[in-house]
Amino acid sequence: MNKKEGYAGIDYFRMIAAFLIIAIHTSPLATYNNTADFIFTRIVARTAVPFFFMTSGFFMIAEYNYNADKLKTFIKRTSYIYGISIALYIPVNIYNGYFTADNLLPNILKDIVFDGTFYHLWYLSAAIIGASIAWLLVKKIGLKLALIATAIIYIIGLFGDSYFGFSLQIPFLKSLYTNLFEVSDYTRNGIFFAPIFFVLGGTIASEKWHLSLRNNLIGFIVSFFLMLTEGLLLHKWGVQRHDSMYIMLIPCMLFLFSALTYLRGRRSSTLRNLALIIYIIHPMLIIVVRGFAKTVGLQALLIDNSFVHYLVVGVSSAAASFILVALMARIKVEPKEVCVYDGTDRSWIEVNLDNLMHNARVLQAAMPEDCKMMAVVKAEGYGHGALAVSKCLNKIGITAFAVATIDEGLKLRQGGIQGEILIMGYTSPMRAKELHKYELTQTLLDYDYAVLLNKQGYIINTHIKIDTGMHRLGFNKYDIDKIAKTFKMRYLKICGIYTHLCVSESLEITDVEFTHTQISGFYDLLDILSKQGIKLPQTHIQSSYGLLNYPEIECNYARIGIALYGVFSSGNDKTKLQLDLHPVLSLKTRIVLIRAITKGESVGYDRKFIATRDSRIAILPIGYADGLPRNISCGNGSVLIHGYRVPIVGRVCMDQLTIDITDISNTEIGDIVTIIGKDGQDEIFATEVAENSDSITNELLSRMGGRLKLVNY
Ligand SMILES: *Cc1c(COP(=O)(O)O)cnc(C)c1O
């Protein structure tokens, strides 16, 4: 998904699907040829409803996404539409004698839950039930098993639908379905029919279906003709009780929908609303057209000619829907101007996702052709919010992420992040099952660790870490036998092998020499492994400075952390590659109190600040518990207010700090103060704050988090 544009193809097909559904209810070809009409309305047009289900599934269901918000919104919206539609058709129900039938109450209940109170309205209840079942299954057992489960349910439905004739021959099945039809008129409902299409939509959204446009189209054409054959045979044998469900409908829809996702462009909510309204009101227009034809004596043309009838109903439904959509747009009330709490009342981090994407593109462009960015998002994405950062990068096509701990990895997966998530640090083998279940990739810290993890009996994706001189984590590069043995372990899938450089930020000659021994040591090892017949997995060496100072290294990944966030570790670092990187994070707070201090009075702990003149001191609600280092106290740091620099005075406390604003007029409570970032002409870089506290930006940024609110823009 490299393109920013929306899925326009899906919106266009909504209109086609709406007209297919009108065809089902008007039999356009009946006047000319019954078989042709059967093929068109009972087979071809049967793709329409599954398409609508898949569309909803596509936007709502994704593997690992445990957030129920989208489902709730969908159920709410669909229930609302269902309620209005039921009300809309009550006059027709009355006219048809619906309310004078026996067993009224049980029938109404049955209709509301399964069959619809008017014949096409079953779709809305099926959407609610189907979506809920699909969502729950995917959450509980994962996408793959949910697909199998809903396929089984679909097959059960099939034998009450197009294949019912076969069930009639088996007494047990016959009585089973007879009982079932007491509760729901058809198996074409929210339980047996809809769920699989929601799951299929989610499967495509989760990028678990990788076919090119061409192969999807070939697949569609082949399965479409097989479906035609299937439908005609079943029709000929007379086994169909109803004709909504075919075996070939499943592959047919999978190929078709996947092909449609290739058609990109601007999304159209008008088409979406039009299709929905056409779906709901077209039966009404069938009644209107018939009434009109009778009144003006045009039955022969408008009713008896099925094709003209179809066209007139179709065009008038579209026209009526168009008018309704236009009217709705006109009466749409402007949302009230409510003050929304946006998290900027105390102290907050502003994350500029445009700059993040810019940096990602610049860094990716600096890598050799076959090298991909592995975005390092440990420690809440260096304070930027790991999930929001990863989602944003996922959208522009980055599919490899690195974190330090399993819980960081889980958070990303459960937030819906697709692709590889490498845990670079230690994970207890006790958590092997989670590694397996959430498809997290674990770093193998050394041989003993690999043995222990393998013993847990779960298939786990791993990368082998090699120690080439840092002497922290990793197999010793000379332990060839142990490394080779690890490749043969039964449960560990070795997807990568990597090392880490320890002085890559330095361009001093001895440091460069050391780094070259690390790099060549790693490649020598790879050579030996290759010669032993081991197929090499993905390789990676560089972190940010590794890339900036050794851009010639040709690996499969570069693990980029600090540079992605647009800053250097220290301000005076010089690098071989000079890239145009933009800082992503700003740290801001607001004045909560201003007090006057007389000359000679002190401010804060230890009385470290004594006023040498009558002063105005502003109190800011941010302290070292928010990640601001305590040693920027006492004039070691400054902040920006209204574009001017003012000093931090006294000691930074756990939750507050004090600044001297004597020289700045017009300051008020609530004014924004910038601690990192730009204000007017001046800018404070993270490197400056890091240096003022004798540290590096990596430490400074990764410690922020906790209490600070994150605001993305
Ligand atoms: C943190 C980390 C990185 C990222 O380092 P940056 O200097 O922030 O790019 C890469 N590799 C490993 C093993 C790390 O721990």
Side-chain angles (χ1 to χ4, degrees):
M1 280 207 287
N2 285 323
K3 293 206 190 122
K4 242 184 159 178
E5 297 111 60
Y7 297 96
I10 294 176
D11 288 334
Y12 297 140
F13 199 82
R14 283 180 207 266
M15 290 305 284
I16 297 178
F19 276 86
L20 287 176
I21 286 179
I22 300 180
I24 297 176
H25 295 144
T26 51
S27 293
L29 304 178
T31 310
Y32 308 100
N33 181 316
N34 276 330
T35 309
D37 192 66
F38 176 83
I39 292 176
F40 183 40
T41 63
R42 308 290 131 178
I43 308 178
V44 177
R46 290 309 190 194
T47 53
V49 166
F51 164 78
F52 285 124
F53 289 148
M54 281 181 84
T55 302
S56 305
F58 182 76
F59 292 110
M60 176 165 47
I61 290 175
E63 175 126 72
Y64 311 115
N65 192 350
Y66 287 5
N67 183 338
D69 287 353
K70 281 188 182 169
L71 177 72
K72 282 185 199 149
T73 314
F74 177 78
I75 292 179
K76 238 185 176 159
R77 184 180 131 91
T78 312
S79 308
Y80 181 64
I81 297 169
Y82 193 27
I84 293 179
S85 310
I86 289 175
L88 194 67
Y89 281 93
I90 285 179
V92 189
N93 289 137
I94 294 175
Y95 181 76
N96 285 348
Y98 181 85
F99 293 105
T100 54
D102 297 337
N103 290 331
L104 186 59
L105 199 65
N107 266 325
I108 289 186
L109 266 180
K110 166 174 160 289
D111 284 348
I112 288 181
V113 179
F114 290 116
D115 302 321
T117 54
F118 203 70
Y119 56 78
H120 63 312
L121 297 183
W122 68 273
Y123 163 78
L124 293 164
S125 79
I128 295 170
I129 297 174
S132 311
I133 292 176
W135 191 90
L136 275 173
L137 279 175
V138 171
K139 175 181 164 172
K140 291 277 178 226
I141 59 178
L143 209 47
K144 253 187 243 156
L145 288 177
L147 211 50
I148 295 171
T150 50
I152 293 171
I153 303 176
Y154 184 83
I155 291 169
I156 299 173
L158 207 61
F159 280 92
D161 196 272
S162 279
Y163 285 73
F164 185 60
F166 298 109
S167 313
L168 280 179
Q169 319 220 335
I170 302 165
F172 163 71
L173 285 182
K174 189 180 165 188
S175 74
L176 186 88
Y177 283 103
T178 314
N179 287 325
L180 207 149
F181 292 135
E182 291 286 311
V183 188
S184 171
D185 289 350
Y186 303 104
T187 49
R188 181 270 284 124
N189 60 22
I191 295 180
F192 297 104
F193 182 60
I196 189 159
F197 297 109
F198 279 93
V199 178
L200 284 177
T203 307
I204 294 175
S206 303
E207 302 196 3
K208 298 265 164 172
W209 181 255
H210 306 277
L211 280 192
S212 65
L213 176 60
R214 184 171 154 267
N215 289 347
N216 272 314
L217 287 175
I218 295 174
F220 171 65
I221 292 167
V222 171
S223 44
F224 183 73
F225 280 100
L226 287 174
M227 183 166 79
L228 291 186
T229 316
E230 182 188 5
L232 283 170
L233 279 178
L234 294 170
H235 186 55
K236 190 172 150 229
W237 295 334
V239 291
Q240 286 180 296
R241 176 177 182 272
H242 187 60
D243 41 41
S244 271
M245 302 173 75
Y246 297 104
I247 294 173
M248 291 316 293
L249 185 57
I250 305 286
C252 202
M253 292 313 299
L254 192 56
F255 289 120
L256 171 65
F257 197 94
S258 184
L260 286 173
T261 60
Y262 278 87
L263 195 66
R264 298 295 182 86
R266 267 187 59 153
R267 301 235 26 216
S268 163
S269 63
T270 312
L271 282 184
R272 167 179 155 173
N273 293 336
L274 270 180
L276 177 73
I277 297 177
I278 292 177
Y279 183 89
I280 291 168
I281 67 167
H282 77 273
M284 203 65 101
L285 279 135
I286 297 180
I287 299 170
V288 171
V289 168
R290 283 172 182 264
F292 175 75
K294 275 191 192 142
T295 327
V296 298
L298 277 177
Q299 284 109 313
L301 179 67
L302 295 185
I303 302 177
D304 298 344
N305 183 314
S306 60
F307 195 71
V308 175
H309 180 60
Y310 170 63
L311 282 186
V312 174
V313 170
V315 169
S316 57
S317 300
S321 306
F322 202 80
I323 294 169
L324 275 174
V325 168
L327 278 180
M328 279 179 354
R330 282 194 113 188
I331 56 172
K332 205 168 219 171
V333 270
E334 282 297 314
K336 281 194 207 122
E337 287 272 339
V338 231
C339 275
V340 186
Y341 169 69
D342 63 357
T344 67
D345 54 335
R346 187 180 169 267
S347 305
W348 69 97
I349 287 172
E350 277 176 16
V351 178
N352 186 326
L353 293 175
D354 286 338
N355 284 358
L356 178 79
M357 291 189 278
H358 164 86
N359 296 339
R361 292 197 178 102
V362 167
L363 287 156
Q364 180 65 61
M367 293 174 197
E369 196 164 342
D370 290 328
C371 182
K372 284 196 296 186
M373 151 116 61
M374 180 182 276
V376 180
V377 293
K378 58 191 178 186
E380 274 305 330
Y382 294 47
H384 295 64
L387 188 56
V389 162
S390 307
K391 275 190 174 167
C392 170
L393 294 174
N394 236 183
K395 266 193 214 140
I396 58 166
I398 289 173
T399 52
F401 297 88
V403 293
T405 72
I406 181 171
D407 291 309
E408 290 180 338
L410 284 176
K411 197 169 161 190
L412 296 188
R413 263 295 183 254
Q414 297 183 343
I417 297 302
Q418 308 288 329
E420 179 162 24
I421 299 177
L422 172 67
I423 300 165
M424 298 187 293
Y426 170 79
T427 300
S428 163
M430 281 190 285
R431 303 189 69 179
K433 186 175 172 187
E434 289 166 90
L435 291 174
H436 166 78
K437 182 170 172 200
Y438 294 97
E439 296 177 47
L440 300 172
T441 305
Q442 175 59 43
T443 294
L444 300 176
L445 311 184
D446 71 351
Y447 182 69
D448 292 341
Y449 179 80
V451 170
L452 206 56
L453 196 61
N454 183 50
K455 276 190 187 158
Q456 308 306 310
Y458 290 99
I459 293 176
I460 294 171
N461 294 336
T462 62
H463 284 203
I464 295 181
K465 176 106 184 244
I466 304 296
D467 174 22
T468 52
M470 180 154 183
H471 302 319
R472 194 175 63 174
L473 302 178
F475 290 61
N476 187 317
K477 66 177 173 183
Y478 298 115
D479 267 348
I480 312 278
D481 286 347
K482 285 183 173 172
I483 297 169
K485 259 161 85 183
T486 306
F487 273 93
K488 299 200 174 66
M489 287 184 185
R490 172 153 175 216
Y491 291 103
L492 304 184
K493 226 169 101 186
I494 313 295
C495 312
I497 185 164
Y498 73 103
T499 191
H500 193 44
L501 306 174
C502 53
V503 277
S504 60
E505 75 283 0
S506 163
L507 293 176
E508 298 265 330
I509 194 139
T510 49
D511 292 334
V512 172
E513 271 170 16
F514 186 87
T515 303
H516 278 301
T517 55
Q518 280 197 281
I519 296 169
S520 58
F522 183 67
Y523 278 113
D524 290 347
L525 167 71
L526 294 186
D527 260 353
I528 299 172
L529 292 176
S530 271
K531 288 206 178 94
Q532 295 194 358
I534 290 171
K535 191 170 169 294
L536 290 182
Q538 305 287 82
T539 56
H540 44 118
I541 301 177
Q542 302 135 296
S543 58
S544 295
Y545 281 95
L547 175 70
L548 295 173
N549 286 331
Y550 302 87
E552 67 283 355
I553 295 178
E554 294 206 0
C555 280
N556 301 107
Y557 287 125
R559 304 181 303 275
I560 308 297
I562 196 72
L564 189 56
Y565 306 103
V567 289
F568 276 161
S569 295
S570 315
N572 36 21
D573 280 338
K574 295 279 169 287
T575 54
K576 204 162 146 189
L577 261 194
Q578 275 158 27
L579 302 180
D580 170 41
L581 301 172
H582 302 167
V584 177
L585 171 145
S586 309
L587 175 61
K588 299 193 174 168
T589 183
R590 284 183 197 275
I591 296 179
V592 291
L593 202 147
I594 297 174
R595 63 183 338 129
I597 299 289
T598 343
K599 182 177 172 184
E601 282 184 328
S602 68
V603 174
Y605 286 121
D606 305 333
R607 306 193 64 214
K608 280 289 171 190
F609 173 75
I610 312 267
T612 53
R613 54 176 177 172
D614 287 350
S615 310
R616 288 194 328 133
I617 300 294
I619 319 294
L620 306 179
I622 184 168
Y624 57 78
D626 297 291
L628 215 56
R630 186 167 176 270
N631 31 0
I632 58 169
S633 300
C634 310
N636 257 338
S638 42
V639 299
L640 301 177
I641 179 163
H642 300 321
Y644 296 102
R645 242 167 222 264
V646 299
I648 294 172
V649 294
R651 281 226 195 278
V652 173
C653 312
M654 188 183 282
D655 321 302
Q656 358 258 340
L657 70 83
T658 36
I659 57 175
D660 184 348
I661 54 165
T662 316
D663 298 327
I664 315 293
S665 54
N666 295 331
T667 42
E668 284 175 27
I669 287 175
D671 282 356
I672 294 180
V673 175
T674 303
I675 298 174
I676 296 173
K678 220 175 152 134
D679 184 2
Q681 298 301 310
D682 207 350
E683 180 165 7
I684 295 180
F685 289 98
T687 41
E688 181 185 330
V689 181
E691 270 152 33
N692 287 339
S693 59
D694 284 330
S695 183
I696 56 173
T697 54
N698 308 48
E699 181 187 4
L700 175 73
L701 298 180
S702 67
R703 278 167 175 265
M704 285 183 190
R707 295 200 308 212
L708 295 171
K709 290 282 187 311
L710 278 165
V711 182
N712 295 320
Y713 69 99

